[in-house]
Amino acid sequence: MSRRLAGMAVHLYTASGSVLALLIVLAAFDGNVVAALWIGLVALVVDGTDGMLARSARVKETIPWFDGARLDDIVDYLTYVFAPVVLLWTTGALPEGAAGWVLAALPLLSSSYQFCRVDAKTDDHTFLGFPSYWNVVAFYVIVLDLDRGTVATILVVCSVLVFVPVRYLYPSRTQAFRTLSLVLTAVWVGTYALLLLDYPTVDPWVVALSLAYLGYYLAVSGYLTVAARRRRDGAGRVPAPADAGPP
Protein backbone atom coordinates (compact mmCIF):
# COMPACT_ATOMS: atom_id res chain seq x y z
CA MET A 1 0.00 0.00 0.00
CA SER A 2 2.80 2.43 0.86
CA ARG A 3 4.47 1.81 -2.52
CA ARG A 4 1.15 2.33 -4.30
CA LEU A 5 0.65 5.63 -2.46
CA ALA A 6 4.16 6.64 -3.48
CA GLY A 7 3.30 5.86 -7.09
CA MET A 8 0.13 7.93 -6.89
CA ALA A 9 2.14 10.80 -5.43
CA VAL A 10 4.57 10.61 -8.36
CA HIS A 11 1.71 10.71 -10.87
CA LEU A 12 0.26 13.72 -9.05
CA TYR A 13 3.69 15.36 -9.21
CA THR A 14 3.74 14.83 -12.98
CA ALA A 15 0.15 16.08 -13.34
CA SER A 16 1.07 19.28 -11.48
CA GLY A 17 2.76 20.33 -14.70
CA SER A 18 -0.66 20.91 -16.24
CA VAL A 19 -1.37 23.47 -13.52
CA LEU A 20 2.01 25.08 -14.14
CA ALA A 21 1.11 25.37 -17.83
CA LEU A 22 -2.08 27.22 -16.87
CA LEU A 23 -0.09 29.56 -14.63
CA ILE A 24 2.33 30.28 -17.48
CA VAL A 25 -0.56 31.18 -19.78
CA LEU A 26 -2.20 33.40 -17.15
CA ALA A 27 1.09 35.16 -16.44
CA ALA A 28 1.61 35.64 -20.17
CA PHE A 29 -1.79 37.29 -20.63
CA ASP A 30 -1.15 39.44 -17.56
CA GLY A 31 2.07 40.66 -19.19
CA ASN A 32 4.22 39.18 -16.40
CA VAL A 33 6.89 37.65 -18.60
CA VAL A 34 9.42 37.03 -15.84
CA ALA A 35 6.88 35.14 -13.74
CA ALA A 36 5.93 33.04 -16.77
CA LEU A 37 9.57 32.11 -17.37
CA TRP A 38 10.15 31.27 -13.70
CA ILE A 39 7.13 28.98 -13.75
CA GLY A 40 8.49 27.48 -16.94
CA LEU A 41 11.72 26.69 -15.10
CA VAL A 42 9.75 24.94 -12.37
CA ALA A 43 7.96 22.92 -15.07
CA LEU A 44 11.35 21.94 -16.52
CA VAL A 45 12.53 20.70 -13.13
CA VAL A 46 9.34 18.70 -12.60
CA ASP A 47 9.65 17.09 -16.02
CA GLY A 48 13.34 16.38 -15.49
CA THR A 49 12.78 14.58 -12.18
CA ASP A 50 9.41 12.84 -12.39
CA GLY A 51 10.72 10.02 -14.57
CA MET A 52 13.43 9.10 -12.08
CA LEU A 53 10.90 9.21 -9.26
CA ALA A 54 8.50 7.02 -11.25
CA ARG A 55 11.16 4.40 -11.88
CA SER A 56 12.19 4.49 -8.24
CA ALA A 57 8.58 4.00 -7.12
CA ARG A 58 8.09 1.26 -9.77
CA VAL A 59 4.79 2.79 -10.79
CA LYS A 60 4.28 0.39 -13.70
CA GLU A 61 4.18 -2.48 -11.23
CA THR A 62 2.23 -0.85 -8.42
CA ILE A 63 -0.35 1.02 -10.54
CA PRO A 64 -0.41 -0.98 -13.80
CA TRP A 65 -3.80 0.36 -14.94
CA PHE A 66 -2.58 3.98 -15.07
CA ASP A 67 -0.58 5.14 -18.11
CA GLY A 68 2.03 7.50 -16.70
CA ALA A 69 3.72 7.89 -20.09
CA ARG A 70 0.51 9.25 -21.60
CA LEU A 71 0.10 11.65 -18.68
CA ASP A 72 3.67 12.81 -19.18
CA ASP A 73 3.04 13.45 -22.89
CA ILE A 74 -0.10 15.47 -22.16
CA VAL A 75 1.70 17.60 -19.60
CA ASP A 76 4.77 18.03 -21.82
CA TYR A 77 2.64 19.25 -24.72
CA LEU A 78 1.05 21.85 -22.46
CA THR A 79 4.27 23.07 -20.83
CA TYR A 80 6.73 22.63 -23.72
CA VAL A 81 4.51 23.56 -26.66
CA PHE A 82 1.19 25.26 -25.97
CA ALA A 83 2.15 27.58 -23.11
CA PRO A 84 5.41 28.77 -24.78
CA VAL A 85 3.56 29.58 -28.01
CA VAL A 86 1.05 31.63 -26.00
CA LEU A 87 3.99 33.42 -24.36
CA LEU A 88 5.53 34.22 -27.75
CA TRP A 89 2.17 35.54 -28.91
CA THR A 90 1.53 37.80 -25.92
CA THR A 91 5.05 39.26 -25.90
CA GLY A 92 4.75 40.40 -29.52
CA ALA A 93 7.54 38.11 -30.71
CA LEU A 94 5.36 37.02 -33.62
CA PRO A 95 4.33 39.27 -36.51
CA GLU A 96 0.80 40.58 -36.75
CA GLY A 97 -1.79 39.24 -39.14
CA ALA A 98 -1.82 35.96 -41.02
CA ALA A 99 1.95 35.47 -40.77
CA GLY A 100 1.74 35.49 -36.97
CA TRP A 101 -1.07 32.94 -37.01
CA VAL A 102 0.88 30.64 -39.31
CA LEU A 103 4.05 30.87 -37.24
CA ALA A 104 2.09 30.18 -34.05
CA ALA A 105 0.44 27.18 -35.68
CA LEU A 106 3.69 25.56 -36.87
CA PRO A 107 4.96 24.43 -33.44
CA LEU A 108 1.48 23.35 -32.36
CA LEU A 109 0.90 21.19 -35.45
CA SER A 110 4.39 19.74 -35.83
CA SER A 111 4.56 18.83 -32.15
CA SER A 112 1.09 17.27 -32.31
CA TYR A 113 2.54 14.94 -34.92
CA GLN A 114 5.66 14.23 -32.90
CA PHE A 115 3.85 13.47 -29.65
CA CYS A 116 1.82 10.82 -31.48
CA ARG A 117 4.81 9.04 -33.01
CA VAL A 118 5.48 5.71 -31.35
CA ASP A 119 9.20 6.09 -32.10
CA ALA A 120 9.53 9.67 -30.82
CA LYS A 121 11.60 8.19 -27.99
CA THR A 122 13.96 5.51 -29.26
CA ASP A 123 14.86 2.23 -27.59
CA ASP A 124 18.29 3.59 -26.65
CA HIS A 125 16.68 6.62 -24.98
CA THR A 126 17.09 9.45 -27.44
CA PHE A 127 14.54 11.73 -29.07
CA LEU A 128 13.90 11.25 -32.79
CA GLY A 129 13.35 14.62 -34.42
CA PHE A 130 13.51 18.01 -32.73
CA PRO A 131 12.13 17.27 -29.24
CA SER A 132 9.64 20.16 -29.10
CA TYR A 133 11.71 22.30 -26.77
CA TRP A 134 9.62 25.35 -27.58
CA ASN A 135 9.89 26.47 -23.96
CA VAL A 136 13.64 26.81 -24.47
CA VAL A 137 13.05 28.67 -27.73
CA ALA A 138 10.65 31.08 -26.01
CA PHE A 139 13.14 31.62 -23.18
CA TYR A 140 15.95 32.71 -25.51
CA VAL A 141 13.63 34.74 -27.71
CA ILE A 142 12.52 36.79 -24.71
CA VAL A 143 15.77 37.02 -22.72
CA LEU A 144 17.91 37.84 -25.77
CA ASP A 145 15.18 40.07 -27.26
CA LEU A 146 15.42 38.46 -30.69
CA ASP A 147 13.84 40.30 -33.61
CA ARG A 148 10.77 38.93 -35.39
CA GLY A 149 12.69 37.81 -38.45
CA THR A 150 15.03 35.68 -36.34
CA VAL A 151 12.11 34.28 -34.36
CA ALA A 152 10.28 33.35 -37.55
CA THR A 153 13.36 31.59 -38.92
CA ILE A 154 13.85 29.60 -35.69
CA LEU A 155 10.20 28.53 -35.60
CA VAL A 156 10.20 27.38 -39.22
CA VAL A 157 13.54 25.53 -38.97
CA CYS A 158 12.69 23.78 -35.69
CA SER A 159 9.24 22.80 -36.99
CA VAL A 160 10.86 21.20 -40.04
CA LEU A 161 13.43 19.43 -37.83
CA VAL A 162 10.60 17.65 -36.03
CA PHE A 163 10.25 15.53 -39.19
CA VAL A 164 13.99 14.97 -39.77
CA PRO A 165 15.16 11.65 -38.26
CA VAL A 166 18.02 13.06 -36.24
CA ARG A 167 18.56 11.71 -32.73
CA TYR A 168 18.65 14.22 -29.90
CA LEU A 169 20.11 13.82 -26.45
CA TYR A 170 17.69 12.83 -23.68
CA PRO A 171 19.77 14.26 -20.80
CA SER A 172 18.26 12.23 -17.96
CA ARG A 173 18.19 8.88 -19.82
CA THR A 174 20.71 8.70 -22.68
CA GLN A 175 23.53 6.47 -21.41
CA ALA A 176 26.29 8.00 -23.54
CA PHE A 177 27.96 10.85 -21.61
CA ARG A 178 25.14 10.61 -19.04
CA THR A 179 27.03 11.95 -16.02
CA LEU A 180 28.53 14.82 -18.00
CA SER A 181 25.14 15.62 -19.55
CA LEU A 182 23.43 15.72 -16.16
CA VAL A 183 26.10 18.02 -14.72
CA LEU A 184 26.01 20.38 -17.69
CA THR A 185 22.21 20.38 -17.72
CA ALA A 186 22.25 21.46 -14.07
CA VAL A 187 24.69 24.24 -14.99
CA TRP A 188 22.37 25.31 -17.81
CA VAL A 189 19.44 25.47 -15.38
CA GLY A 190 21.62 27.72 -13.23
CA THR A 191 22.30 30.04 -16.18
CA TYR A 192 18.55 30.14 -16.88
CA ALA A 193 17.97 31.39 -13.34
CA LEU A 194 20.83 33.89 -13.47
CA LEU A 195 19.60 35.37 -16.73
CA LEU A 196 16.12 35.75 -15.30
CA LEU A 197 17.45 37.42 -12.14
CA ASP A 198 19.22 40.05 -14.28
CA TYR A 199 16.43 40.44 -16.86
CA PRO A 200 15.95 42.69 -18.83
CA THR A 201 19.73 43.18 -18.78
CA VAL A 202 21.90 40.18 -19.60
CA ASP A 203 25.43 39.23 -18.63
CA PRO A 204 27.25 38.26 -21.85
CA TRP A 205 29.34 35.68 -19.98
CA VAL A 206 26.25 33.96 -18.63
CA VAL A 207 24.71 34.05 -22.11
CA ALA A 208 27.88 32.51 -23.57
CA LEU A 209 27.86 29.75 -20.94
CA SER A 210 24.18 29.09 -21.56
CA LEU A 211 24.63 28.89 -25.33
CA ALA A 212 27.71 26.68 -24.90
CA TYR A 213 25.43 24.06 -23.39
CA LEU A 214 23.27 24.19 -26.53
CA GLY A 215 26.45 23.63 -28.54
CA TYR A 216 27.26 20.59 -26.40
CA TYR A 217 23.69 19.32 -26.77
CA LEU A 218 23.79 19.56 -30.56
CA ALA A 219 27.28 18.03 -30.78
CA VAL A 220 26.30 15.01 -28.69
CA SER A 221 23.06 14.68 -30.65
CA GLY A 222 25.07 14.58 -33.88
CA TYR A 223 27.36 11.92 -32.41
CA LEU A 224 24.36 9.82 -31.32
CA THR A 225 22.83 10.08 -34.80
CA VAL A 226 26.03 8.95 -36.53
CA ALA A 227 26.60 6.15 -34.00
CA ALA A 228 23.04 4.85 -34.48
CA ARG A 229 23.45 4.92 -38.27
CA ARG A 230 26.70 2.95 -38.05
CA ARG A 231 25.07 0.34 -35.81
CA ARG A 232 22.20 0.02 -38.24
CA ASP A 233 24.51 -0.28 -41.26
CA GLY A 234 26.64 -2.84 -39.44
CA ALA A 235 23.62 -4.93 -38.50
CA GLY A 236 22.37 -4.83 -42.09
CA ARG A 237 25.55 -6.24 -43.63
CA VAL A 238 25.46 -9.92 -44.54
CA PRO A 239 28.86 -11.59 -44.02
CA ALA A 240 30.36 -13.08 -47.15
CA PRO A 241 30.47 -16.90 -47.22
CA ALA A 242 33.82 -18.41 -46.32
CA ASP A 243 35.85 -19.83 -49.18
CA ALA A 244 35.44 -23.59 -49.00
CA GLY A 245 38.53 -24.16 -51.11
CA PRO A 246 38.93 -26.72 -53.85
CA PRO A 247 36.67 -29.80 -53.77
Side-chain angles (χ1 to χ4, degrees), residues 2-197:
S2 61
R3 189 171 289 275
R4 183 171 294 176
L5 289 173
M8 293 173 64
V10 172
H11 286 318
L12 181 61
Y13 179 65
T14 300
S16 69
S18 62
V19 180
L20 295 174
L22 173 63
L23 294 177
I24 293 171
V25 170
L26 293 177
F29 279 113
D30 285 342
N32 198 338
V33 177
V34 174
L37 292 177
W38 276 117
I39 299 168
L41 179 58
V42 175
L44 268 172
V45 173
V46 169
D47 182 57
T49 55
D50 64 347
M52 292 181 286
L53 292 173
R55 290 185 289 275
S56 177
R58 295 161 58 184
V59 294
K60 289 185 178 180
E61 299 175 25
T62 57
I63 315 178
W65 63 87
F66 190 88
D67 193 339
R70 180 174 296 180
L71 172 64
D72 189 61
D73 284 343
I74 292 171
V75 171
D76 284 354
Y77 188 85
L78 292 172
T79 56
Y80 280 41
V81 185
F82 185 78
V85 170
V86 172
L87 187 57
L88 289 174
W89 183 275
T90 58
T91 54
L94 303 179
E96 298 177 359
W101 284 100
V102 171
L103 287 172
L106 286 177
L108 299 175
L109 296 175
S110 61
S111 294
S112 294
Y113 164 81
Q114 185 188 46
F115 273 79
C116 292
R117 287 188 61 168
V118 296
D119 61 348
K121 295 177 182 177
T122 64
D123 292 337
D124 57 348
H125 304 301
T126 62
F127 297 111
L128 191 63
F130 174 69
S132 295
Y133 285 148
W134 302 109
N135 52 339
V136 176
V137 170
F139 169 73
Y140 283 113
V141 166
I142 293 168
V143 169
L144 301 182
D145 193 23
L146 300 181
D147 62 84
R148 287 179 171 177
T150 302
V151 174
T153 301
I154 292 172
L155 293 181
V156 171
V157 170
C158 289
S159 294
V160 171
L161 288 176
V162 167
F163 302 91
V164 179
V166 171
R167 292 175 181 247
Y168 289 84
L169 176 67
Y170 191 162
S172 64
R173 301 211 64 188
T174 302
Q175 290 304 309
F177 312 107
R178 187 169 185 269
T179 300
L180 178 60
S181 295
L182 288 174
V183 171
L184 293 182
T185 300
V187 172
W188 180 83
V189 169
T191 64
Y192 184 119
L194 288 175
L195 288 170
L196 273 188
L197 287 171

